[in-house]
Amino acid sequence: MCMSVSDPSCSLQYVYLSFRAGDRLLVHTKTSADWWWAELGGLCGYVPSSYLKQDVEDSYLKQGVEEDTSEDTSEDTSEDPWQDEEYFGSYGTLRLQLEMLSDRARTEAYRQVILANSAPLRGKVVMDLGCGTGVISLFCARLAQPKAVYAVEASSIAEHTETLVRQNGCEEVVTVFQGRAEELELPGRVDILISEWMGNCLLFEFMVESVLQARDRWLREGGMMWPSGASLCLVPCQALDYYTERMGFWEQPYGLDFTALQSLAQSEFFSRPRFSHLLQPEDCLATPCDVITLDMLTLHVTDLELRGQFTFIVEKAGTFHGFTSWFRVQFQSLERDKTTLELDTGPYSEPTHWKQTLFMLDGPISLLGGETVSGIILLHRNPVWRRHMTVTIQWSISSTEETGNCKSKVWTHLLIQGFFIILTIFYIVE
Ligand code: GJV
């Protein structure tokens, strides 16, 4: 099974490399004890280190499952698969904190949840995981009367959070804990675990894993998670402006024919997801649907390899350029029968700093009203870099008379140096 790319030094590579007994692989990096980045016949990908044996003649490695390979496989694990230094380093700056705080729809959604639940929050113990500047903790202390709020933050911004808590007169209620939630000791269990953990396409960054671990350790039996539920939404869409800007451009710049660059443009621009896309409602070719839904009380870390299905009925004729995705999260009320509040980051709601994520097809396809676009979406975590994932969408188009060929495309992004820098890409499986 071929999948995606991620090392700029190789031209065409997959996340996992297929190989057979006896093959000689060139190992580029021993990325972790279990997974190495290797090359075979010009293709690069991850291979399980336990399947490889060092060739005595040179630095090539070959498969030798019958032999003991335990020696020499666990050196060089210096690279952190969670990239915490870069990750928490970037959250220690005001740039990202400002981006989140000035996202009105996001911050106001959390404020409304606390306000709507101010009565039942009275006397409760709350954990705010990834509190940043402490805004959610301060909303709790100001708008409700919780017994205690544990504001947990791993980045250095936590040093300032303490000051902000004091300056806002909340130090009796809010205690800041600086450190990774996974490693901290809290005074006791909590009634409510609140966190804003969502990344692009819901899961990128995989902060959700920290939240699930904290839930299992610190949430009391019968406690509440906020958000309580999450869903990933998808829609087939037009993206004519983006297509024209990145692909149409090469047709006649300054009266010259640059079309020879179009296939390069396709692989450079359309094989990674486009974050920060703002989808116009009129560019939706069908009614969006939830392809994946998560229940935050029962979800397990091992469930984070996800698969969803979709069937869209095309509502109006148009050009199918790609799929756009976003997420919604729900906040169940602490009181029975009270409304569940929702933060929706989709094209029909107030834009948020997440915007939407666009997955471009290799080329546009004309669709007629009444046709269907159906298929599956797979979210597959990178086996080494735990904050990253590959998105695979397989789809087919059918009209009432005929069923089209099934197409498939894989989009990957990988952050290696510096947070939010995208280095990676694709492979197309026909
Ligand atoms: N422990 C403590 N703080 C964390 C952790 C963790 N395991 N993970 C992330 N944070 N919605 N994708 C902090 C991080 O430093 C930042 O201030 C905040 O949580 C991220 C919130 C927004 N990111 C997101």
Side-chain angles (χ1 to χ4, degrees), residues 15-75:
V15 163
Y16 299 110
L17 195 60
S18 298
F19 60 100
R20 282 189 293 216
D23 283 343
R24 287 158 65 92
L25 278 68
L26 177 61
V27 173
H28 287 264
T29 8
K30 294 182 179 175
T31 327
S32 72
D34 300 329
W35 294 93
W36 292 354
W37 183 258
E39 184 183 338
L40 173 66
L43 300 177
C44 288
Y46 289 107
V47 292
S49 59
S50 59
Y51 279 56
L52 302 181
K53 176 178 161 235
Q54 180 125 32
D55 191 318
V56 283
E57 285 161 33
D58 52 32
S59 61
Y60 279 71
L61 295 158
K62 66 181 177 189
Q63 191 181 8
V65 285
E66 75 286 358
E67 305 230 4
D68 177 17
T69 56
S70 56
E71 90 283 6
D72 200 29
T73 56
S74 56
E75 56 189 67

Side-chain angles (χ1 to χ4, degrees), residues 142-404:
R142 282 283 182 91
L143 305 173
Q145 285 154 11
K147 185 169 154 199
V149 180
Y150 305 146
V152 175
E153 174 57 51
S155 81
S156 59
I157 205 78
E159 291 152 29
H160 304 283
T161 312
E162 296 236 18
T163 313
L164 298 177
V165 168
R166 272 197 309 278
Q167 273 186 342
N168 286 280
C170 297
E171 69 273 26
E172 301 280 284
V173 176
V174 180
T175 312
V176 179
F177 294 84
Q178 183 171 5
R180 291 182 76 237
E182 292 85 335
E183 287 146 21
L184 276 176
E185 286 303 323
L186 295 181
R189 291 194 174 244
V190 303
D191 301 297
I192 294 135
L193 198 174
I194 188 165
S195 181
E196 191 276 86
W197 52 264
M198 300 79 70
N200 283 308
C201 226
L202 185 63
L203 292 176
F204 274 119
E205 295 177 43
F206 283 90
M207 182 179 163
V208 68
E209 182 166 334
S210 307
V211 173
L212 299 180
Q213 287 187 26
R215 176 198 67 192
D216 295 345
R217 232 177 122 204
W218 297 111
L219 189 67
R220 73 154 171 81
E221 194 70 33
M224 174 65 86
M225 295 288 288
W226 276 339
S228 48
S231 31
L232 184 73
C233 315
L234 195 73
V235 74
C237 65
Q238 306 192 122
L240 183 61
D241 288 352
Y242 184 61
Y243 184 82
T244 309
E245 177 192 311
R246 300 293 162 110
M247 194 58 102
F249 175 85
W250 309 105
E251 267 152 33
Q252 256 206 343
Y254 308 99
L256 303 168
D257 181 357
F258 272 34
T259 50
L261 293 179
Q262 277 182 326
S263 66
L264 193 60
Q266 185 194 71
S267 59
E268 192 170 329
F269 301 126
F270 297 166
S271 49
R272 70 190 80 184
R274 183 190 193 210
F275 300 117
S276 74
H277 181 63
L278 269 180
L279 179 64
Q280 299 304 313
E282 61 272 21
D283 282 335
C284 293
L285 293 169
T287 304
C289 76
D290 291 351
V291 283
I292 282 165
T293 57
L294 306 178
D295 177 338
M296 293 305 292
L297 268 185
T298 56
L299 180 69
H300 284 275
V301 171
T302 48
D303 301 333
L304 293 173
E305 303 285 341
L306 292 158
R307 183 184 193 278
Q309 286 188 321
F310 53 83
T311 298
F312 297 105
I313 300 170
V314 177
E315 278 157 20
K316 55 172 187 193
T319 311
F320 178 25
H321 286 109
F323 292 93
T324 297
S325 86
W326 62 89
F327 65 83
R328 300 185 295 130
V329 286
Q330 295 80 35
F331 299 85
Q332 197 188 319
S333 171
L334 290 172
E335 292 169 299
R336 211 173 277 206
D337 303 329
K338 285 262 176 86
T339 27
T340 295
L341 296 179
E342 182 173 85
L343 167 62
D344 184 339
T345 64
Y348 298 95
S349 301
E350 185 179 344
T352 67
H353 76 288
W354 289 282
K355 301 184 183 157
Q356 289 99 34
T357 305
L358 172 64
F359 298 94
M360 287 293 278
L361 308 185
D362 290 335
I365 298 172
S366 292
L367 289 181
L368 300 172
E371 287 186 308
T372 61
V373 178
S374 52
I376 57 165
I377 179 167
L378 302 168
L379 308 184
H380 184 71
R381 283 182 88 175
N382 188 293
V384 175
W385 304 106
R386 303 306 283 159
R387 295 199 185 276
H388 310 276
M389 68 178 174
T390 299
V391 176
T392 305
I393 301 176
Q394 288 175 3
W395 73 95
S396 62
I397 299 167
S398 56
S399 57
T400 39
E401 305 93 62
E402 50 168 334
T403 302

